[in-house]
């Protein structure tokens, strides 16, 4: 299943892309489940980001490996690929793309996920949409509204 969210912001795409650091990661964390950041290496290939999802009843590890990164004259992106995922997820691929848009930028969260069951993937879609949809207001607050 794929989810593609776009947020237009006022800053230049290279400034925005350069701000994808631990501080922004913490700002983007959802209020539930609570995230405990265990490791944040950065957004270069080979870097690892590891969190503990705390639901109140049980905690789950989530480890992602940065597998790709590219910067061109029109866009920049990095991809985090799930290595250790909380159930029921089996596949996680998140492309963080920032593209030039006039004097500003568009931030794309392109997420491909799978539980191995298409029906369950569909049932998770509204939760994924709500969780990652919360990033838009944070992006606009940090990088300015268009």
């Amino acid at each position: 299943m794929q989810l593609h969210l776009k947020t237009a912001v006022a800053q230049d795409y290279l400034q925005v892309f350069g701000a994808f650091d631990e501080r922004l990661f913490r700002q983007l964390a959802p209020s539930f489940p609570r995230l405990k950041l265990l490791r944040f290496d950065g957004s270069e290939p080979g870097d690892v980001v590891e969190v503990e999802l705390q639901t109140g009843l049980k905690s789950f590890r989530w480890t992602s490996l940065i597998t790709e990164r590219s910067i061109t004259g029109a866009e920049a992106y990095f991809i985090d690929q799930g290595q250790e995922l909380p159930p029921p997820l089996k596949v996680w691929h998140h492309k963080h793309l920032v593209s030039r848009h006039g004097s500003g930028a568009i931030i794309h969260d392109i997420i491909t996920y799978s539980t191995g069951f298409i029906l369950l993937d569909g049932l998770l879609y509204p939760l994924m949409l709500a969780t990652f949809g919360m990033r838009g207001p944070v992006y606009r607050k940090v990088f300015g509204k268009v």
Side-chain angles (χ1 to χ4, degrees):
M1 181 85 39
Q2 188 174 79
L3 176 67
H4 186 168
L5 298 171
K6 301 175 188 178
T7 306
V9 295
Q11 289 185 27
D12 175 74
Y13 81 105
L14 290 174
Q15 287 179 303
V16 172
F17 188 70
F20 273 81
D21 59 11
E22 183 178 336
R23 181 171 173 245
L24 181 61
F25 183 86
R26 290 180 185 277
Q27 289 177 289
L28 294 171
S31 55
F32 185 84
R34 194 168 154 254
L35 295 184
K36 179 180 179 185
L37 185 60
L38 303 174
R39 178 177 174 180
F40 187 95
D41 296 346
S43 61
E44 296 284 344
D47 286 349
V48 173
V49 177
E50 185 175 2
V51 299
E52 184 177 88
L53 300 174
Q54 301 175 332
T55 67
L57 300 174
K58 187 166 173 135
S59 295
F60 300 95
R61 279 269 162 120
W62 185 317
T63 304
S64 285
L65 175 67
I66 307 305
T67 59
E68 291 180 45
R69 180 180 167 105
S70 175
I71 300 172
T72 70
E75 65 182 30
Y77 74 88
F78 68 92
I79 294 173
D80 74 81
Q81 189 85 34
Q83 303 297 297
E84 181 180 359
L85 298 169
L89 292 174
K90 303 257 188 259
V91 174
W92 183 263
H93 180 274
H94 184 177
K95 185 174 187 177
H96 305 259
L97 171 66
V98 184
S99 59
R100 180 188 306 247
H101 185 71
S103 62
I106 296 179
I107 302 170
H108 305 256
D109 281 297
I110 306 167
I111 299 159
T112 303
Y113 68 92
S114 176
T115 62
F117 300 97
I118 193 144
L119 182 60
L120 185 53
D121 293 348
L123 290 172
L124 281 178
Y125 190 86
L127 176 63
M128 295 289 185
L129 184 60
T131 300
F132 286 90
M134 292 179 184
R135 289 177 166 221
V138 175
Y139 287 146
R140 286 188 289 274
K141 180 180 177 187
V142 172
F143 302 115
K145 294 180 184 178
V146 176

